[in-house]
Amino acid sequence: MIEDLQRLENNALAELQEASNQEQILLIRTKYLGRKGLLTGQLRNIAQVPEEQRALFGKRCNEIKIFLTSRIEEELNKQSQNEKENKLLKEKIDVTLPGRAIKYGRIHPITQISNEICSIFSSFGFSIVEGPEIELDYYNFEALNIPKDHPARDMQDTFYIEENIVLRTHTSPVQVRVMEKVKPPVRILSPGKVYRRDSDVSHTPMFHQIEGLLVDEGITFGDLKGILTVFLKKIFGQETKIRFRPSFFPFTEPSAEVDICCVMCRGKGCRVCGQSGWLEILGSGMVDPAVFKYVNYNSEKYTGFAFGLGVERMAMLKYGISDIRLFYENDFRFLRQF
Ligand code: PHE
C-alpha cells in the first residue's frame, strides 16, 4: 500500500519533469490532486488499509499532497516566467522609429476670412443676418431695380429653378428682406453662398459673398468711403492704397467699385492686376431711391449705402492664391497652410 503511494509520487514527479507548458502542468494537477484524482482516490480508500499501517498511510498521503502541491506551484511559476520572457524577446519595440503624426482639422480658409470680415463689421456695430440661397426672382432682381429685360437675368448667368425662383446670384436680396421687416436705422452684414453659371480659374458656379447695408438719417457717400477704407486697411494692412472708381449697379446710385493697390506688384503693374497696378475688390454705392420705394422707406428722410464683396477673391488676393478651384478640392496639403 505504502509502495503504491511512493510509485504514485514518483510518476507524478516524472510527468512534471516532462511537462513543457502550463496547460500540461494543470492536467497533471487534476490527474493527481483533483477531486477524482489518483491521490485523492488513495485517501478515500484509507478504510481498506490494514489498521496498523493506517496512520502511516494517512501521514504519507498528506506529505505527498503538500509536496506535489508545492512542486506544481513552482513549475507553474517557472512556466509563466518563461512565457513572459519569450514574449518580451519576440516583441521588441524600436524606440528610434518616428511617431505617427495626428492629423487634425482646421477652419476652411473661406470660413476663416468670412469670420474675420464679420468680426470687423461687428466691431462697427453691424449685426449679422442670413438669407435664403433659393430665392424669389422678386428679391434677387425685381425689388433691386433690375427690370425683366436686364442682362443680369440672362439664362447664361442665372440658375433658374422655376420661372420665378432662382439660386440667388448675389447676397443683395438680403438687403430687401431686411428692410421689409425693420425700420431704419439698419446696420447689417450678410455672408453666404451665391450661384452663377460660370467656371474658370477665377470663377466657380458657387462662391461666397458678403453684403453690407447701412441706412439712417444723413448717411453720405463719405460714410461709405470711410467705413470701407478702414475695413480694407484692417484686412490688407494699414499701408494699402485704396481707390473708389465710378461704376454702375441698378440698385445703387451713385455706384463705385473699390480697388486696392495690387498686392503682388505693389502698384507697378503685373500679370495679376493686368498691368494696371490696381485690383477690383468690391462693389458699392448709395442705395437707389427706387429700392427704398419697394420697401416703403421714405427716401426724403433716409439715405444709406450698400456694398458686396466676393470672399474667395478676397482670400485669393490676401494669400496670393492663383486658382479659385483650390478652395474646393479639399486637398489637405493646401488647406493645412491656413
Ligand atoms: N451685388 C453686387 C454684385 O454681386 C455687389 C454690390 C452689392 C454692389 C451692393 C453694390 C451694392 O456684383
Side-chain angles (χ1 to χ4, degrees):
M1 286 297 204
I2 300 282
E3 296 85 74
D4 287 349
L5 282 185
Q6 198 50 57
R7 212 173 307 121
L8 190 146
E9 182 181 22
N10 291 342
N11 289 346
L13 289 175
E15 283 173 41
L16 258 186
Q17 206 53 238
E18 296 290 304
S20 58
N21 60 40
Q22 298 212 42
E23 217 171 302
Q24 288 173 5
I25 299 169
L26 290 174
L27 281 176
I28 295 168
R29 184 164 74 181
T30 317
K31 178 173 171 190
Y32 291 94
L33 303 176
R35 261 196 310 123
K36 292 180 182 158
L38 295 173
L39 188 66
T40 326
Q42 292 287 347
L43 261 172
R44 213 171 274 137
N45 291 339
I46 197 159
Q48 273 129 52
V49 178
E51 208 173 339
E52 65 282 9
Q53 285 180 30
R54 213 172 278 164
L56 184 60
F57 183 88
K59 190 168 160 253
R60 276 301 288 142
C61 271
N62 276 327
E63 281 169 2
I64 293 172
K65 185 175 175 181
I66 289 166
F67 180 63
L68 282 182
T69 305
S70 85
R71 281 286 297 119
I72 286 170
E73 202 58 37
E74 232 171 76
E75 285 301 314
L76 279 174
N77 281 339
K78 233 201 281 177
Q79 282 296 339
S80 88
Q81 197 60 33
N82 279 347
E83 274 162 37
K84 261 188 223 150
E85 272 162 24
N86 283 339
K87 209 170 163 195
L88 282 176
L89 278 176
K90 264 188 260 156
E91 291 176 2
K92 272 198 201 128
I93 294 173
D94 183 351
V95 292
T96 65
L97 280 175
R100 261 176 227 135
I102 296 167
K103 291 184 180 176
Y104 50 91
R106 287 162 208 238
I107 296 177
H108 192 279
I110 294 301
T111 311
Q112 276 187 40
I113 197 154
S114 216
N115 291 347
E116 191 185 341
I117 294 167
C118 286
S119 85
I120 290 172
F121 278 95
S122 295
S123 78
F124 297 160
F126 286 63
S127 30
I128 314 295
V129 297
E130 283 182 33
E133 288 168 30
I134 296 172
E135 188 54 286
L136 291 171
D137 178 288
Y138 176 78
Y139 290 108
N140 197 79
F141 297 125
E142 193 78 36
L144 286 167
N145 200 29
I146 305 174
K148 280 268 185 277
D149 53 2
H150 194 280
R153 291 191 179 211
D154 200 316
M155 294 285 283
Q156 296 285 310
D157 304 317
T158 308
F159 288 107
Y160 278 86
I161 289 178
E162 283 171 24
E163 199 188 324
N164 285 315
I165 302 176
V166 300
L167 291 181
R168 67 178 178 186
T169 57
H170 51 181
T171 42
S172 299
V174 186
Q175 290 185 33
V176 182
R177 286 182 173 274
V178 168
M179 289 191 284
E180 264 185 355
K181 285 214 190 70
V182 298
K183 295 280 143 234
V186 169
R187 239 188 286 182
I188 58 106
L189 200 71
S190 186
K193 293 182 168 68
V194 300
Y195 302 84
R196 288 181 201 173
R197 296 172 65 122
D198 220 346
S199 188
D200 58 41
V201 287
S202 55
H203 298 89
T204 43
M206 182 283 298
F207 61 103
H208 296 77
Q209 280 193 338
I210 297 182
E211 191 81 10
L213 173 70
L214 187 151
V215 182
D216 204 346
E217 286 180 47
I219 299 299
T220 67
F221 199 85
D223 296 310
L224 177 157
K225 278 186 81 172
I227 285 195
L228 291 181
T229 303
V230 173
F231 158 65
L232 288 172
K233 287 186 178 228
K234 271 186 193 277
I235 292 277
F236 290 102
Q238 286 306 316
E239 66 295 344
T240 309
K241 285 206 206 82
I242 290 153
R243 88 177 171 184
F244 290 76
R245 186 166 35 78
S247 184
F248 174 81
F249 298 101
F251 37 93
T252 49
E253 182 59 35
S255 303
E257 275 175 303
V258 185
D259 299 340
I260 59 167
C261 187
C262 180
V263 288
M264 306 296 164
C265 64
R266 300 255 150 242
K268 284 192 206 79
C270 68
R271 203 177 47 84
V272 174
C273 58
Q275 309 305 328
S276 72
W278 294 97
L279 294 165
E280 180 197 322
I281 197 86
L282 56 81
S284 66
M286 302 304 290
V287 181
D288 196 306
V291 176
F292 281 159
K293 216 182 224 159
Y294 278 100
V295 295
N296 290 318
Y297 273 19
N298 179 355
S299 55
E300 296 295 319
K301 192 171 174 201
Y302 296 109
T303 49
F305 67 79
F307 60 89
L309 60 87
V311 182
E312 279 80 354
R313 185 163 166 81
M314 280 261 171
M316 287 171 80
L317 295 176
K318 190 170 154 99
Y319 299 119
I321 297 159
S322 56
D323 188 337
I324 192 173
R325 292 168 291 203
L326 282 167
F327 288 121
Y328 302 111
E329 280 167 0
N330 288 336
D331 186 331
F332 196 70
R333 291 166 302 179
F334 171 76
L335 294 176
R336 73 188 306 175
Q337 298 177 69
F338 300 94

